[in-house]
Amino acid sequence: VQLVESGGGSEQAGGSLRLSCVASRYSPCMAWLRQAPGGEREVIGAINNVATPHYDDSVKGRFTISRDNSENALYLEMNGLKPEDTAMYYCAAANEYRRCFHLRPTEFPYWGQGTQVTVS
């Protein structure tokens, strides 16, 4: 699966950004991950084949994941941005829907190149 992210950029604290990802084919589980400078890659949320999202506590209530299966697209709506949200954001995919239950980077074998989000 090839994944291409877009929509990153710079925003002030409290602002909003929307990331998009287009996949080369359908995947039952898709996710957004991020990696801050000097930090480890973490899964911030995943969404399964029936569009049930799961979120990490760090973004719950601020970020919303959605998908459009007709377009093989994944979205991340980010509101109430904080400086600690600054990171490279990656779209990822897995071939089994159950991988969405475990918010671990190792569950996702397919990754995009990433898009930078900077919050000041």
Side-chain angles (χ1 to χ4, degrees), residues 14-17 59 61-64 76-82 85:
S16 300
L17 282 172
V59 304
R62 298 189 299 124
F63 292 8
T64 302
L76 179 66
E77 189 75 36
M78 303 186 290
N79 298 312
L81 285 164
K82 304 176 181 180
D85 294 320

Side-chain angles (χ1 to χ4, degrees), residues 5 19 32-44 63 76 83-91 105 111-118:
E5 305 95 338
L19 306 184
W32 287 101
L33 294 84
R34 68 184 179 187
Q35 186 168 17
E40 296 186 354
R41 199 167 291 189
E42 60 177 352
V43 182
I44 58 173
F63 292 8
L76 179 66
E84 51 264 44
D85 294 320
T86 295
M88 185 72 79
Y89 283 70
Y90 299 90
C91 174
W111 300 74
Q113 293 298 307
T115 185
Q116 178 68 36
V117 171
T118 303

Side-chain angles (χ1 to χ4, degrees), residues 26-30 46-54 65-67 69 97-98 100-101:
Y26 171 78
S27 295
C29 178
M30 299 186 76
I47 187 166
N48 64 14
N49 53 325
V50 293
T52 301
H54 303 268
I65 293 176
S66 61
R67 65 185 295 168
N69 292 336
Y97 75 92
R98 61 180 175 82
C100 280
F101 299 148

